Amino acid sequence: MTNIKKVSELAGVSTATVSRTLKNPELVTENTREKVMKAVQLAGYRPNWLATSVKTGKSNSIVVLVPNLVNPFFMRIIEGIEQAAQEKGYSVLLGDTQGKANRENEYASMVLTNRADGLIQLDHSFPFSANDAALAEKVPMVSVCERIEGERRYPFIELDNYAAGRALTHHLISYGHSRFGIIAGQRTSQIHHDRLAGIKSVLNEEGIDFSEDMLVGGSYRIETGIEGVQELLKRDTPPTAIFCFNDDIAIGALYELKRQGLRVPEDVSLTGFDNVKVSAYMDPPLTTVDQPAYEMGRRAVDVLIQLINRQPLSRTREILPFQLLERGSTGPAKA
C-alpha cells in the first residue's frame, strides 16, 4: 500500500506537510495544496481516516440533508459539498429526506450518535425531533439557500433573494409589463418571503398594483408550473408576465402555456430561478437567475468544519452574488 512518504517525495514536501494538507488544507498555501493533492492522485494514496477517527473521537463524516434529490439545483450544491469535503478528509452521508420530518429526524440523529461530526441542511426546517432538540443545541450545523427555522440562529450560506427578485422585476418592467403572475415554491420559507418582497418593492415603487389572487403555487415541482398557469389563465385579466420561483416550475409553466396555444414570449413572458443546465436548452431558453450553487456547497463545508473544530466564525451569514441571465423567454409586453 502506498504510504505518506511516497506522496511527500512526489510532491517535494515533508511528510508533516502532507499530513497537514490532508487534515487542515486551509493551513497551507494553495500551491502546496495543489502539489500534494496531485501527488496523492499519482501515488494512489488513501489516508487511514478510520485510525485517525479512533484517536480523535471524530468520524470524519458529515451528513447532508436534501429535500429533493431529483432537483438538479441541489445536485450542483452537493457536487461542491462533496469536492470540498473530500479535500478536507471528510466523507459525505447523503440523506434524501423527501421533505418528511421523520426522515430528517432519522438522518440528523446520526450526529448525536457520533456517526457524523456535523450537518448541512438544504431545507428550512429544524431537522431534529422534539426529543432530540436539547441534545442538538451544540451540534455543528450549517444551512445552504434556506435559513433554519426556530429561535436558534445557525450559520447559513445564501443568495440575496430580495435583490434577485428586484432585478427580475426591473427586467420585465423594462419590456413594458404591468400585469404579473407569480408561481411560488414553498411559501413558509425565507426564500419565498425574500423573493416576493423584492418583486413587490419594485411594483410599489413603479405604482403597479398587484392582486394577491395572482400569487399561486406552493412547491418547487414541474407540476406546480402546469397547475399555476392553469389557475392564472382563468383570472379575469391574465398576466402578460409570470415569475416562477425556480426553473422546474418555469419548465412546467412553459409546457402548459404552449399546450394552451400561447407563445412565449410574444403572448406571455416567463422567468425562472436557479439556472439549472436544461434551462438554457428550452424552447425558448429561459430567462433566469444564476445561483453559484457549487460555490455555495464548498463554502458550507468550510464553515461547517470551522464549527466542528470549534474555530470562531468571522460572520454567520454569507451572501453570494447572483447573475440575471436574459434569454429568449422574456420580451416586450403584448399590446
Side-chain angles (χ1 to χ4, degrees):
M1 181 177 179
T2 304
N3 60 30
I4 196 169
K5 187 175 181 181
K6 179 65 174 177
V7 175
S8 72
E9 290 172 356
L10 288 170
V13 299
S14 68
T15 55
T17 299
V18 173
S19 180
R20 189 181 304 114
T21 302
L22 294 175
K23 292 178 183 177
N24 301 102
E26 68 278 4
L27 299 180
V28 300
T29 66
E30 185 176 350
N31 182 51
T32 298
R33 189 160 59 244
E34 288 178 357
K35 286 196 298 185
V36 171
M37 296 312 294
K38 185 176 181 180
V40 166
Q41 281 190 318
L42 288 172
Y45 176 61
R46 295 293 180 269
N48 190 347
W49 298 117
L50 179 59
T52 302
S53 69
V54 171
K55 291 178 184 177
T56 63
K58 293 181 179 179
S59 68
N60 288 105
S61 297
I62 59 176
V63 175
V64 180
L65 303 183
V66 192
N68 180 4
L69 274 176
V70 177
N71 189 318
F73 174 66
F74 288 139
M75 297 312 296
R76 284 166 54 208
I77 295 175
I78 292 167
E79 184 183 356
I81 290 172
E82 287 271 9
Q83 183 63 39
Q86 184 183 45
E87 290 171 6
K88 294 179 182 294
Y90 280 78
S91 58
V92 174
L93 307 173
L94 204 58
D96 177 15
T97 68
Q98 298 173 17
K100 297 177 181 176
N102 63 322
R103 293 176 69 92
E104 278 192 339
N105 299 163
E106 184 179 342
Y107 285 120
S109 69
M110 295 178 73
V111 185
L112 301 177
T113 54
N114 295 324
R115 287 177 287 169
D117 300 326
L119 185 151
I120 296 175
Q121 169 67 300
L122 301 191
D123 208 345
H124 65 284
S125 54
F126 180 72
F128 293 92
S129 68
N131 291 336
D132 289 341
L135 291 172
E137 275 293 312
K138 296 183 180 179
V139 165
M141 181 158 60
V142 179
S143 63
V144 184
C145 301
E146 297 277 11
R147 301 179 205 174
I148 295 172
E149 296 173 337
E151 296 180 4
R152 173 81 184 273
R153 290 290 175 255
Y154 292 93
F156 56 95
I157 317 295
E158 68 170 357
L159 197 78
D160 190 340
N161 285 284
Y162 178 84
R166 285 181 60 85
L168 284 167
T169 311
H170 280 303
H171 169 67
L172 289 172
I173 289 175
S174 73
Y175 276 127
H177 292 282
S178 59
R179 300 202 314 270
F180 297 99
I182 300 173
I183 308 179
Q186 291 178 327
R187 297 204 195 188
T188 56
S189 75
Q190 190 63 44
I191 281 178
H192 169 81
H193 295 305
D194 288 348
R195 291 178 189 173
L196 184 60
I199 292 168
K200 286 185 174 181
S201 70
V202 175
L203 297 181
N204 183 59
E205 290 166 8
E206 297 292 333
I208 298 173
D209 292 330
F210 179 78
S211 174
E212 290 302 317
D213 71 347
M214 300 302 280
L215 172 62
V216 299
S219 67
Y220 293 108
R221 301 177 304 127
I222 289 175
E223 293 81 3
T224 301
I226 295 172
E227 295 160 4
V229 166
Q230 291 170 353
E231 287 185 61
L232 290 172
L233 293 184
K234 291 176 183 176
R235 302 294 187 255
D236 292 338
T237 308
T240 62
I242 300 175
F243 299 98
C244 298
F245 276 15
N246 81 343
D247 286 341
D248 275 0
I249 294 173
I251 289 168
L254 178 61
Y255 167 84
E256 183 61 19
L257 287 167
K258 285 185 171 184
R259 193 188 71 82
Q260 297 209 25
L262 294 170
R263 299 166 301 162
V264 176
E266 291 84 357
D267 297 317
V268 181
S269 283
L270 191 67
T271 67
F273 209 107
D274 290 344
N275 189 32
V276 300
K277 192 170 184 178
V278 72
S279 67
Y281 301 96
M282 300 303 294
D283 180 23
L286 286 175
T287 291
T288 188
V289 169
D290 178 55
Q291 297 199 64
Y294 178 83
E295 184 59 28
M296 284 178 162
R298 291 192 64 92
R299 287 299 302 137
V301 172
D302 291 341
V303 173
L304 183 63
I305 291 177
Q306 280 185 264
L307 293 175
I308 291 170
N309 293 332
R310 299 183 181 179
Q311 297 170 342
L313 300 178
S314 58
R315 58 185 183 274
T316 57
R317 179 190 185 193
E318 293 196 28
I319 304 175
L320 298 188
F322 68 87
Q323 183 181 3
L324 174 60
L325 302 178
E326 300 180 19
R327 296 184 180 139
S329 67
T330 51
K334 190 174 182 181

